[in-house]
Amino acid sequence: MVHPFHFRFCWRDSFIILRTEEAGVARVVGHLLALPPLTLSVTDGPPDLEVRRIGNDGWVLESAVVTYRFEFWNDLLLNVIALMGGRFLQKTGHLVLHAGACVVDGQAILFTGPSRVGKSSLALAAWLAGREVIVDDWLAVDSDCHRAFVFPKALKPRVAGRAVPAHLVGRLSVDHCLVGQINDEYRLIIGRGLPQMADYTQDYSIARLYMLDRAIGPTSHVEKVDRQTALQGILAQTMITARRTPLDMVRILRFLLERGEVYRLHVGEHDLERAVDIMFPQRNRRDQEG
């Protein structure tokens, strides 16, 4: 009989317990999240996530509220990673915005919008262009001090199938990426241990907010956004948690509006490079040469 392992993944003052008979699950997840797990002999409560092998037919992944069954190893790993990020957010009680973020001059530049507007694609394009990435679609923030936190979540842009896209093959080694399915969509997980991924120990003051939509035409362009449009957009993209409501996000929005740092970015088709240059301008020449 195989006895299950218990692994603890820690972020700041929170932790998640993963129970599984296959240590490889914890090893790969920990590597891709840059969050080395600690093996426990006993625990003082039920696990947050549990992985069980079902003979030769795949795996079951369980949490307190959902149960999934997987035939493919990569699909299992991607879903463990996705659920782990969500569980950390639930445990910490942070205010959560449906947004991506990158670092410019030591500050967080946020970009928000509905699903499929292109947040993960923009985060990937920014990373490929050498910008420092905080997150691609769920951001933990503090409304009291207007700061964004780096938390355990991997970039996961959509891809066409189970292979790494050809233009990324030379940029990503096999041990720092993974392709699989989440919610019937193929996703590419990009490891948090790679250069230009923001460190978990950091948090950043929020300097600017872009509200994304698709441009009518090929060219990306930016404009100021009025207060009412900004309010409607930010409330629609703020997650309700046990400790926070969308109204908490209004404090950050007001702070940015008063400084004239809220914009509408229209992202042109196949014009991600210009959109990245608009949101995250290159460092000065001295920094680039250094």
Side-chain angles (χ1 to χ4, degrees):
M1 179 178 178
V2 179
H3 294 285
F5 300 94
H6 291 85
F7 297 95
R8 185 198 298 264
F9 295 83
C10 298
W11 174 64
R12 295 182 179 259
D13 295 329
S14 298
F15 63 86
I16 287 175
I17 302 297
L18 170 66
R19 175 188 169 101
T20 176
E21 296 175 351
E22 301 189 50
V25 174
R27 178 181 56 79
V28 176
V29 169
H31 177 69
L32 289 173
L33 286 178
L35 207 67
L38 173 67
T39 306
L40 304 176
S41 56
V42 294
T43 64
D44 55 2
D48 297 280
L49 300 173
E50 182 170 4
V51 173
R52 299 195 315 273
R53 194 77 162 88
I54 311 173
N56 296 320
D57 297 324
W59 299 266
V60 165
L61 169 60
E62 290 186 337
S63 72
V65 294
V66 296
T67 299
Y68 298 112
R69 183 166 178 166
F70 303 102
E71 180 182 356
F72 298 103
W73 174 248
N74 281 14
D75 296 351
L76 167 68
L77 295 172
L78 263 70
N79 281 269
V80 171
I81 290 171
L83 285 179
M84 192 171 291
R87 190 73 182 105
F88 268 122
L89 289 178
Q90 292 169 355
K91 285 196 168 190
T92 59
H94 283 304
L95 180 62
V96 181
L97 180 65
H98 190 204
C102 288
V103 180
V104 174
D105 295 330
Q107 296 181 302
I109 307 298
L110 279 52
F111 48 102
T112 187
S115 296
R116 295 182 174 276
V117 76
K119 294 183 294 298
S120 293
S121 296
L122 277 170
L124 174 59
W127 180 76
L128 289 171
R131 276 63 162 188
E132 185 176 1
V133 176
I134 297 174
V135 73
D136 64 343
D137 64 353
W138 289 110
L139 181 67
V141 299
D142 187 319
S143 59
D144 296 322
C145 58
H146 314 125
R147 299 188 74 82
F149 296 94
V150 185
F151 78 99
K153 190 176 185 307
L155 267 66
K156 55 177 190 357
R158 294 178 178 86
V159 292
R162 288 193 177 274
V164 175
H167 70 286
L168 295 177
V169 169
R171 299 293 300 270
L172 296 171
S173 61
V174 293
D175 59 336
H176 283 290
C177 67
L178 199 67
V179 179
Q181 274 191 313
I182 300 177
N183 296 328
D184 298 322
E185 293 182 324
Y186 290 109
R187 298 280 190 139
L188 168 67
I189 289 287
I190 299 174
R192 293 286 326 194
L194 290 167
Q196 301 304 124
M197 295 289 179
D199 188 86
Y200 292 141
T201 62
Q202 299 298 310
D203 57 81
Y204 300 91
S205 61
I206 298 172
R208 189 175 303 156
L209 172 67
Y210 290 95
M211 311 188 80
L212 304 179
D213 66 15
R214 299 284 188 179
I216 301 174
T219 305
S220 297
H221 59 282
V222 69
E223 63 188 17
K224 287 282 189 176
V225 63
D226 65 84
R227 186 175 296 266
Q228 185 61 33
T229 300
L231 179 62
Q232 292 174 346
I234 208 70
L235 291 178
Q237 301 306 324
T238 304
M239 178 188 291
I240 299 174
T241 68
R243 304 181 203 175
R244 301 289 183 176
T245 73
L247 294 179
D248 290 299
M249 192 66 209
V250 175
R251 281 189 251 173
I252 296 177
L253 180 63
R254 184 185 300 119
F255 168 80
L256 295 173
L257 284 169
E258 288 173 352
R259 288 157 178 75
E261 295 291 0
V262 181
Y263 301 86
R264 171 79 71 186
L265 178 62
H266 306 274
V267 182
E269 187 176 7
H270 308 304
D271 196 26
L272 289 177
E273 183 176 344
R274 175 169 167 75
V276 167
D277 287 340
I278 290 171
M279 289 193 294
F280 319 117
Q282 285 280 17
R283 300 170 182 173
N284 61 45
R285 182 177 298 276
R286 185 183 66 181
D287 289 340
Q288 291 181 34
E289 292 175 351

